Amino acid sequence: MIALIDYKAGNLTSVRKAFASIGAELYDPASPADLERATAIVVPGVGHFGATAALDRGWAAAIRARVAAGRPLLGICLGLQWLFAGSEEAPDCPGLGLLSGTCYRLKGTAAREIIKVPHVGWNSLAIERPAPIVAGVATGSQVYFTHSFVAPVTGDTVAVTEHGELFAAIVQRDHIAGVQFHPEKSGEVGLQILRNWLSDC
């Protein structure tokens, strides 16, 4: 039973279809108590970090409890950013705090070149270290991004992407993982990453 968290910050249909294509069904928990039956949790999302305020203490506590019980957790795009302590985009809105660091806005410049922000389009992954979530994924693989804020590169970073600067594209610490891009819109590479995560569930 994989829980798909709906906090009104994105189109869940494409995420659900991507998981269905690899043989996994997701359910929508109506309340934090509904997470007790979850064998894994997916937190997707697009847009402003402030939207995560809907994941109040009850939701955050329930998700932390499932993670503490060893249940896999995957954050997608804004969901990845929520795994960290917070974001400069909404300083008064705390993140889940399972990973250290604060998310920040892309600078929009690289040397003398102006970089478009938001970052929208296909970029290549540079694998920094081996991890279960990137099994069978080659460095240089292309995935689809759409975002303005990014997570810092830390010891939990598995892969980076460059858009004016390097930032974390994939993170994983034990059974906690996140991707800044949209695997549901990234073709076979995205599906392979979802399969890898699913194998932990």
Side-chain angles (χ1 to χ4, degrees):
M1 299 293 291
I2 301 174
L4 180 64
I5 306 298
D6 181 8
Y7 57 108
K8 314 305 179 188
N11 179 9
L12 305 188
T13 302
S14 58
V15 175
R16 193 175 284 107
K17 285 181 178 178
F19 273 97
S21 74
I22 59 173
E25 292 187 6
L26 309 179
Y27 79 95
D28 301 324
S31 70
D34 288 341
L35 290 180
E36 291 183 5
R37 61 192 177 110
T39 56
I41 300 170
V42 178
V43 181
V46 295
H48 197 278
F49 193 86
T52 64
L55 298 172
D56 59 17
R57 292 179 182 176
W59 281 104
I63 291 171
R64 287 192 193 99
R66 299 313 291 158
V67 171
R71 305 306 185 193
L73 171 64
L74 176 66
I76 297 175
C77 195
L78 183 58
L80 170 141
Q81 295 174 21
W82 188 63
L83 300 178
F84 287 79
S87 173
E88 294 175 357
E89 187 175 25
D92 296 331
C93 185
L96 192 59
L98 294 178
L99 301 179
S100 61
T102 300
C103 298
Y104 60 93
R105 192 177 193 278
L106 285 166
K107 294 180 177 64
T109 57
R112 298 179 181 177
E113 183 182 4
I114 302 299
I115 302 299
K116 289 185 178 180
V117 178
H119 170 213
V120 178
W122 295 82
N123 261 63
S124 60
L125 297 173
I127 309 298
E128 296 282 283
R129 63 179 177 87
I133 197 166
V134 291
V137 176
T139 198
S141 295
Q142 296 277 319
V143 289
Y144 185 79
F145 292 82
T146 175
H147 63 113
S148 298
F149 284 74
V150 297
V153 177
T154 70
D156 296 316
T157 301
V158 172
V160 297
T161 292
E162 184 173 1
H163 185 72
E165 60 188 293
L166 290 175
F167 60 87
I170 304 176
V171 298
Q172 185 166 37
R173 180 198 295 171
D174 300 324
H175 53 283
I176 301 164
V179 294
Q180 180 59 66
F181 53 89
H182 289 274
E184 75 277 11
K185 297 180 180 180
S186 297
E188 182 56 33
V189 173
L191 293 180
Q192 180 60 40
I193 287 168
L194 293 182
R195 289 189 197 100
N196 291 340
W197 181 78
L198 194 62
S199 69
D200 283 341
C201 302

